[in-house]
Amino acid sequence: MKKFLLVTLLAVLPILSFAKGPDCHSWPMNMSEVWLQNAGIVAIENINEPKTKITLLASEKKAKGLYTQIYHFIFYDAIGNSYEIITNNDASYGECSETGVDVYLISRSVSNK
């Protein structure tokens, strides 16, 4: 019985991983960078994009193939300052920009360099 349960669990886990929705981090990430620039916090060209940390916090399937997705981004600028952002938007497998992006600056750290 334990073997059957283990085999069933191992068979089902990969299927469950598809339930998180599309990988649509680029749309909220780009909108966050624009928001930071428009707010006068940091210019887009000063963001060290390869150093950006991206975490999908939540993805909830809604009607008609839409997913509400919540991302956490940590952006770093050229001198080491960091900017933590939480975003909220709807996405689908066909279109990451189903809705606009709500952007929330939750932390800003200044480097002592």
Side-chain angles (χ1 to χ4, degrees):
M1 181 66 173
K2 286 183 183 180
K3 237 184 205 182
F4 175 76
L5 183 61
L6 181 61
V7 170
T8 303
L9 186 61
L10 290 175
V12 171
L13 282 178
I15 295 169
L16 294 177
S17 67
F18 292 111
K20 72 178 185 176
D23 179 15
C24 283
H25 70 274
S26 61
W27 170 245
M29 183 172 158
N30 291 338
M31 293 300 97
S32 296
E33 291 172 345
V34 169
W35 184 90
L36 285 167
Q37 179 167 292
N38 290 346
I41 296 171
V42 63
I44 292 173
E45 60 270 9
N46 291 332
I47 294 174
N48 185 350
E49 202 167 288
K51 200 173 174 186
T52 300
K53 295 180 182 174
I54 305 163
T55 306
L56 177 62
L57 297 178
S59 183
E60 178 184 19
K61 187 171 184 180
K62 295 170 42 171
K64 299 180 182 176
L66 286 179
Y67 292 81
T68 296
Q69 296 191 321
I70 311 292
Y71 278 96
H72 175 239
F73 297 99
I74 304 176
F75 295 99
Y76 297 90
D77 65 19
I79 59 173
N81 298 327
S82 66
Y83 312 91
E84 284 192 69
I85 300 280
I86 298 286
T87 63
N88 173 36
N89 71 290
D90 288 348
S92 69
Y93 281 102
E95 182 63 53
C96 288
S97 58
E98 291 285 354
T99 64
V101 178
D102 297 322
V103 178
Y104 305 96
L105 177 65
I106 59 169
S107 174
R108 180 179 181 181
S109 299
V110 178
S111 174
N112 292 328
K113 291 181 183 179

